[in-house]
Amino acid sequence: MSLISLAIMAFIVWKLLNWAVFSAVFTTSGGPEACQAAAGACWSVIAARWRIIFFGLYPYEEQWRSALACVAVVVMTVLSCIPAFWTGRRIALVWGVGTTVFYVLMKGGVLGLPFVGEEAWGGLALTLFIFVTTCLIGFPLAICLALLRRSELPWISRTTGLIIDGVRSLPLISILFTFAIVLPFALPQWLQGDKLYRVILGSALFFSAYQAEIVRGGMQGVAKGQEEAAMALGMRYWQRIGRILLPQAMRNALPATINQFVISFKETSLVVIVGFFEILASGNAAYGTGEWRFAYVEVYAFIAFIYFVFVFSLSRYGAFLERRMSVSER
Amino acid sequence: MSSLLRNQKVRNALLQLLYVGSIAALVLAGVVIARRNLAEQGITSGFDFLFKSTGWDVNFTLLPATANDPYWWFFLIGITNTLFLGTVGLMLATTVGTIVGLARTSTNELAQLLGRTYVDIFRNIPLILQVFFWYALITHLPTPRAAHEAWGFLLTSRGLYIPFPNVGGVAMALALLALVAAIALPLWLGSTSRLSQAIGQRRTIQFAAVAAALACTAIILVIGRLPDAPFIDFPALQGLNLRGGLRIPPEFSALAIAIAIYGGSYIAEIVRGGFQSVGKGQMEAALSLGLSPWRVFTLVRLPLALRAMLPILANQYVWLMKATTMGIAVGFTDFFMIVALTINHSGQTLEVIGILMAGFLAINLSLAALFNRLNKAIALKGNQLRG
């Protein structure tokens, strides 16, 4: 068994290393021709085309803004992973400020920054923007839906349940497609807005339907006595929810919540289907030109690596939290 | 009036009415506006369009299709394609997941590491990226003239060509049915209580059943073969194109591979969790009763793990079924792609979205019902304390 595993592993590692390092081309000096002659990976396609992968169609001189905006999102995510920020107000502040900084940097038009419309956004920044706004809209919506579903009034909880289950049974692509292409028919002109924001709304709805069930699960894990005690103390509904029920429910639901964030980060890649120039589409464009047509493996490997870094660190963090919580419960 | 508002019951009723009413009003307003907008474009609402012919071609279908077929037939094609891709993808993903999951629970540390690396890598890369990758890889394979060849299989940029028996469609379906029976019969015979023999002594009956079912398969195939053609059709180069055999289009294989690898990494974790939930004492007890390690695995570990896994596995299967909609990224004509095409061509937006929702609801609900039945059938009977 050991021998077989060792053989498989050695074979894969050797093949990969040979392809990615030993016989690969790293410099752009030779151009595409030097790459095609070599047996290994052609990393010079990344060196030559990294700007389009990261920034898409964003104006060349302004691309530092796009990069800075991405950094802002990363800082915001890291901050919200620190337990010191885990109160409703602080986390809302961090996300509010982070998103504003991102939006101002990207769109410009104020503070002497030239204006760049949403249609020119692309690459990593667009992916991050869709992810962040999805969470920002979806999370409060999820809490609302969870509360409505737990409502004691049967018609309210049933209708909400119907909405949640309906959204959950559909594939995300069909929801994105409906919001991007079909919804304009059903909305009056003044309500239609940009396609980007409609898609974000659709993905936020999808996120919140799943997250609502997670929050509801967390609420069911809170002992019934807690709410009864709060009632006995004469607390009103919002006090009970905001101070007793939700904080404990969120704590129960934390691992599943992180998991949901991880999944929805991966699922931002689906907007490529309704025609956005996010990182996957810009990757397709990066190798789509004639001279680099052969270098698709390298481009996909590079994009996969970017996703991997984000998703893997988030999921490791989730695993760390789970361990931490199981220690505190012992 | 104000005293009426202070009444809790009246307030609750009003609140509910307001909530349900406003949602209904929103939906209704949307439908009304959409109807008006569509009518302005000269599109009449209703389901009459289902019987008009489409005028498209599809690149992959299990059912016969021509451009003259009506829309409803194409919806049927889409659903069978989705179900077929889903079934193939699920079977492959389950196989991959079981192997990797077992590697992760094995006592061998290298196998554990191998399994872990696999799961970590493929779980953290979006499925659609993997679909794009495999599709690019397959369409960049050599042309038919320079195809990679092995054991009659041909790998080309136009698809994978495999040898295939020259058998008519009906006979093929019957043969498949007989093959399924060959797998299912012995399992049923081994566990049913309708036979008088003890469960351990049914070997002969089981063997007889398998042999009979396999013989049926062979006979159907021989009878159903097409006249004046060799029994097995090998793909071969003729002129500029490949003839014969069965062609698996690149769209299908890219999706099936991506679902198998990505889904496999999730199923591996479910399998691992299932096996880890089996108490160590159960296995030790079985070993101390003198059962061989293989029997401990098949009689104790596997059934117990399966019970723990099934509900989560059902969720994963439903998710993977929905993931077939990524076909639209590479142009595989699944149910969703047919829906999108129909909206573009006929403009019957509302009706088609309704069909989409109904279709996925039906698929999800029937999968869930199937798994609920399965779960009930294998659940431990009676009450017991689990710990």
Side-chain angles (χ1 to χ4, degrees):
Chain A
M1 195 70 183
S2 280
L3 273 178
I4 299 171
S5 313
L6 197 65
I8 298 175
M9 214 136 62
F11 178 74
I12 296 174
V13 169
W14 164 247
K15 277 273 178 192
L16 263 182
L17 272 183
N18 189 29
W19 174 77
V21 183
F22 299 140
S23 38
V25 181
F26 288 95
T27 54
T28 40
S29 54
E33 292 76 24
C35 267
Q36 265 172 320
C42 169
W43 297 117
S44 45
V45 64
I46 308 298
R49 312 281 288 173
W50 64 274
R51 272 177 181 271
I52 194 167
I53 294 177
F54 275 121
F55 305 125
L57 304 170
Y58 209 74
Y60 190 85
E61 314 78 53
E62 306 292 331
Q63 282 176 359
W64 60 271
R65 277 162 52 187
S66 182
L68 216 57
C70 292
V71 172
V73 168
V74 172
V75 168
M76 180 180 91
T77 316
V78 170
L79 280 185
S80 47
C81 287
I82 301 170
F85 285 93
W86 287 351
T87 61
R89 200 166 300 161
R90 280 186 206 168
I91 209 116
L93 188 76
V94 167
W95 279 66
V97 170
T99 319
T100 320
V101 168
F102 180 93
Y103 191 72
V104 168
L105 270 174
M106 284 301 283
K107 189 144 185 179
V110 287
L111 304 174
L113 298 170
F115 174 84
V116 181
E118 279 92 347
E119 66 284 349
W121 297 8
L124 184 61
L126 186 63
T127 296
L128 288 177
F129 181 67
I130 294 171
F131 171 62
V132 167
T133 40
T134 295
C135 299
L136 210 60
I137 303 169
F139 206 83
L141 191 63
I143 293 176
C144 287
L145 285 177
L147 288 177
L148 283 171
R149 189 165 197 177
R150 266 178 62 93
S151 161
E152 277 158 14
L153 306 177
W155 279 100
I156 292 188
S157 74
R158 245 179 254 162
T159 317
T160 316
L162 204 68
I163 296 173
I164 292 178
D165 288 342
V167 171
R168 275 160 53 98
S169 74
L170 289 173
L172 176 57
I173 294 185
S174 71
I175 290 182
L176 293 180
F177 180 83
T178 310
F179 272 73
I181 298 175
V182 179
L183 204 60
F185 286 112
L187 287 177
Q189 202 77 49
W190 50 272
L191 245 178
Q192 281 180 14
D194 194 63
K195 184 170 148 196
L196 175 62
Y197 295 105
R198 283 203 310 272
V199 166
I200 288 172
L201 225 57
S203 108
L205 183 69
F206 190 78
F207 173 82
S208 64
Y210 277 82
Q211 181 62 30
E213 290 296 277
I214 294 172
V215 173
R216 193 169 70 111
M219 284 181 184
Q220 278 171 354
V222 178
K224 188 111 180 98
Q226 296 277 340
E227 209 181 346
E228 286 167 356
M231 260 189 227
L233 284 176
M235 289 171 102
R236 301 186 63 90
Y237 177 76
W238 287 113
Q239 286 177 321
R240 289 202 306 270
I241 296 292
R243 293 179 188 258
I244 309 291
L245 195 60
L246 267 186
Q248 297 188 60
M250 289 322 293
R251 187 172 175 281
N252 290 342
L254 200 57
T257 304
I258 302 267
N259 202 14
Q260 189 58 36
F261 275 97
V262 168
I263 290 171
S264 64
F265 184 75
K266 276 190 288 178
E267 282 179 343
T268 53
S269 54
L270 290 181
V271 300
V272 66
I273 286 174
V274 284
F276 284 105
F277 212 69
E278 47 74 80
I279 191 158
L280 195 50
S282 52
N284 281 340
Y287 82 84
T289 51
E291 45 176 355
W292 293 111
R293 192 161 284 278
F294 60 90
Y296 58 95
V297 177
E298 290 81 355
V299 171
Y300 282 134
F302 184 64
I303 297 172
F305 179 71
I306 297 173
Y307 269 110
F308 182 82
V309 169
F310 279 95
V311 176
F312 187 68
S313 37
L314 254 181
S315 62
R316 283 292 90 190
Y317 172 70
F320 158 75
L321 272 186
E322 227 163 308
R323 271 201 306 281
R324 200 183 100 119
M325 281 167 62
S326 68
V327 168
S328 71
E329 266 163 23
R330 229 175 265 157
Chain B
M1 186 67 200
S2 64
S3 67
L4 213 61
L5 270 181
R6 240 175 275 135
N7 183 332
Q8 184 77 33
K9 268 189 189 156
V10 175
R11 256 200 349 225
N12 283 351
L14 271 181
L15 212 63
Q16 298 192 52
L17 203 68
L18 200 72
Y19 182 72
V20 179
S22 53
I23 287 176
L26 264 177
V27 173
L28 211 66
V31 170
V32 168
I33 296 174
R35 286 212 158 168
R36 207 180 52 210
N37 283 348
L38 290 171
E40 269 170 25
Q41 294 178 17
I43 296 163
T44 48
S45 49
F47 285 92
D48 294 340
F49 74 99
L50 282 177
F51 303 99
K52 288 183 199 145
S53 66
T54 53
W56 331 316
D57 263 332
V58 286
N59 59 6
F60 178 88
T61 169
L62 296 171
L63 307 167
T66 62
N68 291 326
D69 284 325
Y71 278 101
W72 66 266
W73 182 247
F74 273 77
F75 280 118
L76 212 63
I77 288 173
I79 288 185
T80 48
N81 280 359
T82 289
L83 288 178
F84 183 63
L85 173 65
T87 318
V88 172
L90 287 183
M91 287 201 286
L92 292 174
T94 311
T95 318
V96 172
T98 312
I99 294 169
V100 177
L102 284 177
R104 284 206 70 177
T105 46
S106 84
T107 46
N108 188 305
E109 291 198 2
L110 275 170
Q112 272 180 37
L113 183 67
L114 212 59
R116 201 187 152 150
T117 322
Y118 174 88
V119 170
D120 273 345
I121 288 178
F122 289 105
R123 235 159 79 124
N124 291 322
I125 297 170
L127 177 56
I128 193 162
L129 178 59
Q130 300 193 27
V131 172
F132 272 133
F133 173 77
W134 294 111
Y135 188 61
L137 199 71
I138 292 170
T139 48
H140 280 81
L141 282 170
T143 56
R145 308 198 72 172
H148 293 301
E149 186 171 0
W151 307 300
F153 289 75
L154 288 174
L155 279 175
T156 75
S157 59
R158 285 198 208 153
L160 170 68
Y161 289 78
I162 58 172
F164 197 70
N166 256 330
V167 175
V170 180
M172 199 68 216
L174 283 175
L176 270 181
L177 225 67
L179 207 61
V180 170
I183 299 167
L185 266 178
L187 292 178
W188 180 73
L189 288 172
S191 59
T192 180
S193 51
R194 299 215 177 142
L195 295 178
S196 53
Q197 280 96 336
I199 284 180
Q201 296 163 356
R202 292 181 185 169
R203 279 284 155 75
T204 358
I205 310 178
Q206 282 175 321
F207 273 125
V210 173
L214 284 181
C216 268
T217 317
I219 291 169
I220 295 171
L221 283 180
V222 170
I223 292 176
R225 63 179 284 192
L226 301 178
D228 1 296
F231 187 57
I232 289 180
D233 194 11
F234 283 96
L237 197 63
Q238 268 185 14
L240 286 174
N241 208 347
L242 284 164
R243 287 285 151 75
L246 183 74
R247 171 176 170 265
I248 302 174
E251 294 83 24
F252 184 83
S253 24
L255 281 164
I257 294 172
I259 289 178
I261 289 182
Y262 183 82
S265 69
Y266 273 89
I267 291 175
E269 287 298 274
I270 298 172
V271 169
R272 182 177 71 108
F275 277 105
Q276 278 177 350
S277 75
V278 179
K280 214 167 173 187
Q282 301 261 17
M283 262 126 57
E284 285 167 355
L287 276 174
S288 71
L289 283 176
L291 293 179
S292 66
W294 172 247
R295 303 208 86 189
V296 172
F297 180 79
T298 53
L299 294 178
V300 179
R301 233 178 133 203
L302 189 64
L304 285 173
L306 216 55
R307 287 193 176 106
M309 274 162 9
L310 210 63
I312 325 171
L313 212 54
N315 267 338
Q316 191 61 38
Y317 281 173
V318 169
W319 190 91
L320 282 175
M321 251 323 167
K322 289 195 281 175
T324 56
T325 48
M326 310 237 167
I328 200 169
V330 290
F332 179 73
T333 38
D334 67 339
F335 181 46
F336 179 61
M337 175 122 167
I338 300 274
V339 163
L341 281 174
T342 307
I343 289 179
N344 282 342
H345 284 256
S346 74
Q348 303 284 355
T349 315
L350 292 182
E351 293 83 355
V352 177
I353 290 289
I355 292 175
L356 171 80
M357 288 184 167
F360 271 101
L361 222 57
I363 292 176
N364 287 348
L365 291 181
S366 33
L367 254 180
L370 186 78
F371 268 89
N372 276 342
R373 275 205 73 158
L374 249 176
N375 203 15
K376 246 185 222 139
I378 68 162
L380 295 171
K381 307 289 186 294
N383 279 326
Q384 52 220 308
L385 293 171
R386 304 270 270 156

